[in-house]
Structures are given as C-alpha cells and as structure tokens.
Amino acid sequence: MNLKKDSSLPYGLQSMLLWAFVPVLWSFLPVYLAQSRFSPGQIGTVMAVNPFVSLIVQPLLGPAADRAKSKNRFFSFMILGSILFILLLPLAEGFKGVMLLVTVISVFQVAAIPVSESISLELLDRIRRPYGPVRLMGNVGFMLTSVAMGYLISVNVNNLFIAAALLGVLNVLIIHRLPLVGGHQSRKGKVGYREVFRDVRLRVFVPLSIIPHLSNALYMTYLPMFLMSIGGVESQLGWIYFIMAASDFPFLLYAERIIKRVGIQRALGFSVFSFGLRFLVLLLISAPVWIFLLSVFHGFTFMIFGFGLAVYMNQSVRPELKTTGQSVLAVANSAGRIIGTFAGGQLIASYGMKTTFVSGGILCFGTLAVYSAVMYLLRHKIVISAEESEGSLSEIMDGISGSQMFE
C-alpha cells in the first residue's frame, strides 16, 4: 500500500472491512434462524449470546490487548478464530448446536471492534487526522455488504457464512498493512479499570449508554421479523440497512464540529430521545415503504453514541488504558444488547411486536428524564461524592458542562 505516511486512507479501508464483517453477520443471522424455524424467543436467546459473552470476556480481553506486544496480531488471532467457527455454524444441529457455536464465535469476535478502534484512534492521533471520515468508511462497508447480502441470502441463506468468512480474511490482511501498535502496558506496570472513571462524566455516560445499545439491539434484531410481517422480503432488508448507514454520513463528516458546538452531554441526550421517537413511529407503520423512510432517521440515533463516546473515551483515558476504555464501552454495549435481544424476544412472544416497541420508546423517554435530572444536579453541584469534593471542584463542574466536548 504505497501511500503518504499521513494518509488516513488505510485506516478507512480497515474500518470499511471491519464494519462489513462484524455487524453484517449479526444483522442477518436472525433471517437464517427464522428460516431454520426458530421461534422469536429462541432467536432472542441466540442473539443475546454474543453480548452476554462480551459482558464476561471483555474485561479480560481489553487489558490483554493493552498488554500485548502487538495489538495488530492480537486482533488477527481473534478474527481467525471466529472465521473457523462461522464456517461451522451452518452444520450445527438444532437449538443447542447453534447456541454452542454462536458462543464460541462470540468469544473470538467480541474484541474485534474495541481493539480495532483503539488501533485506529491511536494511529490517527499520531498523524493528526480526524476519526469521523474513517468511521464513515465503516458505514460504506456496512452499506455495500448489506445490499449484497440481501440478495445473496435470498438465493441461499448459507451464503451469509461464506461471505462473512471472506470478509474476516480481508480484515486480517489489512490490519497487517497498518503500522504496528503495541500495548502501552507491555512496557509499563499494570493500570486498573478504576482509572478509566477518573473523569466524572464517564461515570454518567457509560451507564447511560446501556439504553441506546438496548434500543438498537431491540430494533435491529427484530426489524427483519417486523418487515416480513408487513409484507417485506429479504432483498428489501439489505436496502434498508443501506439507507440506515447512509443516514450517518452527515454526522460523521462533521462529527467533531457538531459535538463541540452542542456539547457531548446534549448530543447523547438527543440520541436517547431519537431512539424513543423512532419506536413510537413504528406504531403507525403498516407497509414496507414506510420502513425505508424511517431508516433515513437512523443517523440521529446510534451513531451519536457509537462515535461520540468512543472518541471521548480515547481522549479522556491514559495511554495505558486506550483499549481497556473501549472495552468498558463494549461491556455497557453488551449489557444493553442482552436486555434488548433476550427480553425483547420474550416480550414479543407474549405481547406482540408493536407493544414491545412502544415499551422501548417509553423506556427511552424515562431514561432521558432521569439523565436530565442527574446532569442538572451535577451541574448545580448538588450530587458530588466525598472523594470528588477533595479534588478540584471547579474543574469537575467545568468538565460536566455540555458547552464543550473536551477539556
């Protein structure tokens, strides 16, 4: 790859392949499970395995990557392991067999995004390039692969696993074309998780992020079933995912500027509001065409959290905790996805899809009210721990203010 040393293109290509590999597999897996005659409750249980495994494994993998001599090789090992078991998944027999293989795939794959983002963010910091356009390339990868996958699985649903394996191989090839990134703790002493939360804002933002991840998991896991229930087909699903990813472009192109203008606090709150509103709009939808229109709204939901909080974490934590910090976000992600997929499946089986979506909307608005109250109390110096009061009070309060993204 003969490029200028300060070019961000290699990182964009890596992002494109990563987001073509990981999310596309899990986005279309419910279609495979539905065609295999799994019930909504079983589909929810299978889809909850990946975030459940992440919840257990991420606290181990994040520090392991930060202590590795090469994060690039660490990433490659995990991807190669997941490829092997992805190819075995169509051979699994029955619910238990699928559960077993999905569990093993998840063990290898859950570290992919945190480690990749840690590598890219650190290298981009070195050459002083923004992360927004690089993350936008991830959306391009998801868009193109989603459209192709919609048609591929309409021919044969097992094409999902072959395509995912090929994308995984390409991920391994591209990561070794990037400069080597070593774990900072491989050269220094161990630094504990508690250091991640020295920034008081993260003590609020990380728990809050559970709700957007819950909402996104609920929506994305059961959107295929909802689409089919109102007369949609598999090929339409690919185009819907395409529109969702395209709707993120305006935000990603101007992400740093937007968040600095409105503040990280308000940006995250607006994301939660947008999730709630989208769930309520689903009540009015009775034909596939309206799903296409609603997908344009996706850019106001998940990307604000997924991008904004990842960048904020990278800016806030010590160098020794770059990957650990991203893993903390992945744990919150996993907690939300477990609830969204598993509880969502049970609620749909008992009360129906629209009732479940309305419940998701009510949860978002309730969370937004609590979040607003907590931030108000913090901003007015009402809620503050004894430990924080011994430090620089003015610095803490200035950090909480939504008027700026970074100190």
Side-chain angles (χ1 to χ4, degrees), residues 13 18 22 125 143 149 161 165 168 177 190 197 253 258-260 330 343 346 355 368 370 386 388 401:
L13 293 175
L18 175 73
V22 179
D125 277 350
M143 289 163 55
M149 200 68 72
F161 308 109
R177 302 297 296 176
K190 295 181 180 180
F197 294 99
L253 286 172
I258 292 171
I259 294 180
K260 285 181 181 178
Q346 305 306 314
T355 299
L368 183 59
V370 173
E388 289 158 6
S401 170

Side-chain angles (χ1 to χ4, degrees), residues 30 43 52 70 80 84 111 123 127 143 174 235 245 297 302 321 326 345 349-350 373 391:
I43 292 174
F52 183 76
S70 168
L80 289 171
L84 172 62
L123 291 174
I127 62 175
M143 289 163 55
I174 191 68
S235 58
F297 187 65
F302 182 70
L321 293 169
Q326 299 301 326
S350 300

Side-chain angles (χ1 to χ4, degrees), residues 98-128:
V98 169
M99 285 284 288
L100 176 62
L101 282 175
V102 166
T103 299
V104 179
I105 292 169
S106 299
V107 169
F108 280 101
Q109 200 183 72
V110 292
I113 291 176
V115 175
S116 172
E117 289 190 325
S118 174
I119 292 171
S120 293
L121 285 165
E122 184 167 344
L123 291 174
L124 289 167
D125 277 350
R126 292 181 191 175
I127 62 175
R128 298 186 178 183

Side-chain angles (χ1 to χ4, degrees), residues 23-77:
V24 168
L25 172 65
W26 300 105
S27 296
F28 285 92
L29 186 59
V31 178
Y32 170 79
L33 298 174
Q35 289 193 15
S36 300
R37 301 189 183 281
F38 283 44
S39 69
Q42 288 177 319
I43 292 174
T45 302
V46 171
M47 296 303 293
V49 168
N50 180 262
F52 183 76
V53 169
S54 179
L55 195 65
I56 297 172
V57 174
Q58 283 290 1
L60 303 175
L61 294 181
D66 276 325
R67 294 166 194 155
K69 291 184 178 180
S70 168
K71 292 184 184 180
N72 309 57
R73 294 193 187 98
F74 184 91
F75 175 87
S76 298
F77 174 77

